[in-house]
Amino acid sequence: MSHDTLSEFVAATATRFGIPGAAVGVWVESREVYACHGVTSVENPVAVDPDTLFALGSVTKTYTASALMCLVAQGRVDLHAPVRRYVPELALADERAAAEVTVLQLLNHTSGLDWSVIVEPGEGNDALAGYVARLADLKLIAPPGTRVSYSQAGYNLAGRIVEKVTGLTYEQAVASLLTEPLGLSHSLFAPLDVMTRRFAVGHNRGEDGRLSIARPWRPGGRGNNPGSGLASSVRDQLRWARFHLGDGRAEGGERVLPAELLRSMTEPTVALRGSSAGQALGIAWFLRDVDGVRTAGHVGSSDGQFAELLTVPGRDFAVVSFANAGPDGTPFNQAVVRWALAHYLGVVDRDPEPVPYDAGRAAEIAGRYENDAMALVIATDGAGLTLEVGIRPEIRAGLAGEAPPDYPPAATGLLPGDGDEYLITEGGLTGQRGFFTRDATGGVVGVDFGGRLFTRVRTAVR
């Protein structure tokens, strides 16, 4: 498959979705193929190239998990040990959970911690310690080890383990353990470092269809770095993917991780239900069977920036896609990844078909659902279902800067079977899957969206 063909697809798809700037990289048949389109910013346009930095969002979690695996290899961390062995000051809303939660449960999102806590975006060396000190304010959605719920807080706590064990800041430790030995010179945390390189800014589309610059450039502050703080280039991310496809050595031959520990990161640790991300979680990686082929990947989003990294270990294949505009950055990346799988490997990824609308089932699930920071509304007009999701108004009002816009109501359908699973079929969340949770009486009490549990607070939204 030629570079021109990939470039043509990326350009056409970015134009269709209204993406100002995109960068795509593919590792196939032991070679790198790149396609870049557009500009870093609509206000200060600079051409995107393979070394342009984009905010990785949650793809950063693969670095945090890998850093901890390096410490496991050194005998300094035990995945099955309680977190308090390394962070003895840990306090959670439930003392038993604080005493029992393990390192592995942070890394496979079974810690029971809700999504995150809102803290001031500090940039000092104590920012992560300050974030962890606030975890006692965060509700627990389940006892540790009993269910999956995607948690930014869990990964920020994992980053604090890295700090406590190494005696370095989280960022220094990641550099020492990973980015420096792997030669990832375009993978940086500090905005003051990022701004010395060519970097993309996020964009959000308003109700009038116009794009505006997302400000601040990267929300959340340094306390969120382990969960979402890294900026990187598509070239570096292909190198990162190649490391995870390899034997644990850097390209120069230096051993970074033992091969067996590296492989263990893509072995299932917990099953997933009704998730567009996959059928299981390894250590950080989401594991998904696509057309009979096992893949391992992760997606990420920051305000107006979107990233997806997918590897196919059995085929020595990887694809990375970045986009700098919402709400359609996610469907753009999904389209690129699916095209690459089909054209390079002959692997076809399709969404399942929803069942016809059922008024009784719609009435049963319609309602408002919330977690610690966001709200999700499922509504019916008697002919179809819609799902909208966004930041809770009281949370948005308390933020120091601007926040991403909410996702408007989008058509949603229930999937075949009796598993209470659903699929979003339009808009910026197209292809997202989830499921409903019932109590002992059979009543719907929660919904999983994006891997996160939202608890029902109100019914009958029409």
Side-chain angles (χ1 to χ4, degrees), residues 150-228:
Y150 191 85
S151 178
Q152 176 83 351
Y155 262 79
N156 291 338
L157 176 54
R160 182 60 177 153
I161 296 174
V162 172
E163 288 192 332
K164 297 281 281 191
V165 171
T166 64
L168 303 171
T169 67
Y170 165 79
E171 299 83 7
Q172 290 169 339
V174 169
S176 174
L177 294 168
L178 297 170
T179 59
E180 289 176 358
L182 292 175
L184 303 180
S185 61
H186 285 67
S187 297
L188 305 162
F189 284 101
L192 291 178
D193 290 334
V194 172
M195 69 185 293
T196 66
R197 314 293 179 95
R198 183 177 304 205
F199 66 97
V201 302
H203 301 79
N204 291 306
R205 194 173 301 281
E207 294 181 2
D208 61 359
R210 291 189 170 191
L211 289 172
S212 61
I213 302 295
R215 294 184 171 94
W217 172 73
R218 189 188 65 203
R222 192 170 166 185
N224 278 292
N225 273 356
S228 60

Side-chain angles (χ1 to χ4, degrees), residues 176-446:
S176 174
L177 294 168
L178 297 170
T179 59
E180 289 176 358
L182 292 175
L184 303 180
S185 61
H186 285 67
S187 297
L188 305 162
F189 284 101
L192 291 178
D193 290 334
V194 172
M195 69 185 293
T196 66
R197 314 293 179 95
R198 183 177 304 205
F199 66 97
V201 302
H203 301 79
N204 291 306
R205 194 173 301 281
E207 294 181 2
D208 61 359
R210 291 189 170 191
L211 289 172
S212 61
I213 302 295
R215 294 184 171 94
W217 172 73
R218 189 188 65 203
R222 192 170 166 185
N224 278 292
N225 273 356
S228 60
L230 194 63
S232 185
S233 68
V234 70
R235 196 188 307 275
D236 265 18
Q237 286 312 290
L238 269 196
R239 181 170 287 189
W240 179 240
R242 290 171 59 188
F243 166 68
H244 277 275
L245 290 169
D247 65 356
R249 297 180 187 272
E251 290 185 357
E254 178 183 351
R255 171 68 67 188
V256 177
L257 261 177
E260 62 272 18
L261 280 181
L262 189 68
R263 285 195 298 271
S264 74
M265 295 183 69
T266 54
E267 294 172 358
T269 62
V270 63
L272 294 174
R273 173 188 170 197
S275 172
S276 50
Q279 289 85 34
L281 259 169
I283 295 175
W285 295 105
F286 287 86
L287 311 178
R288 189 161 65 101
D289 290 327
V290 181
D291 201 12
V293 175
R294 171 57 61 92
T295 69
H298 213 294
V299 300
S301 64
S302 188
D303 190 358
Q305 297 195 60
F306 302 83
E308 181 163 355
L309 187 162
L310 189 79
T311 67
V312 184
R315 303 284 187 91
D316 192 33
F317 176 88
V319 55
V320 179
S321 184
F322 296 154
N324 68 348
D328 291 320
T330 294
F332 167 83
N333 287 339
Q334 182 185 72
V336 168
V337 169
R338 286 183 168 183
W339 183 93
L341 288 172
H343 283 73
Y344 291 110
L345 300 183
V347 172
V348 179
D349 186 10
R350 297 186 181 92
D351 287 326
E353 285 290 329
V355 300
Y357 175 78
D358 182 310
R361 292 187 73 188
E364 187 180 24
I365 63 177
R368 181 180 177 89
Y369 302 77
E370 295 180 351
N371 66 11
D372 57 303
M374 304 178 72
L376 184 151
V377 176
I378 295 174
T380 176
D381 60 2
L385 284 167
T386 60
L387 181 150
E388 64 179 301
V389 64
I391 299 171
R392 289 165 52 182
E394 65 273 24
I395 300 296
R396 185 181 291 277
L399 294 176
E402 297 178 15
D406 296 339
Y407 284 91
T412 300
L414 295 173
L415 294 176
D418 57 2
D420 279 334
E421 296 181 11
Y422 67 88
L423 173 75
I424 302 174
T425 58
E426 71 173 9
L429 298 171
T430 298
Q432 287 284 316
R433 295 174 62 177
F435 65 92
F436 296 93
T437 299
R438 296 178 181 270
D439 62 15
T441 69
V444 174
V445 294

Side-chain angles (χ1 to χ4, degrees), residues 1-51:
M1 196 61 57
S2 72
H3 175 91
D4 289 342
T5 303
L6 176 63
S7 293
E8 289 169 2
F9 180 83
V10 168
T13 307
T15 300
R16 175 162 62 93
F17 283 110
I19 306 296
V24 175
V26 178
W27 172 251
V28 59
E29 297 177 350
S30 300
R31 64 191 179 96
E32 297 177 353
V33 184
Y34 295 102
C36 297
H37 168 82
V39 296
T40 58
S41 167
V42 297
E43 290 186 2
N44 299 286
V46 176
V48 172
D49 66 17
D51 293 318

Side-chain angles (χ1 to χ4, degrees), residues 119-131:
V119 298
E120 289 298 317
E123 296 297 333
N125 286 347
D126 61 348
L128 190 51
Y131 181 100

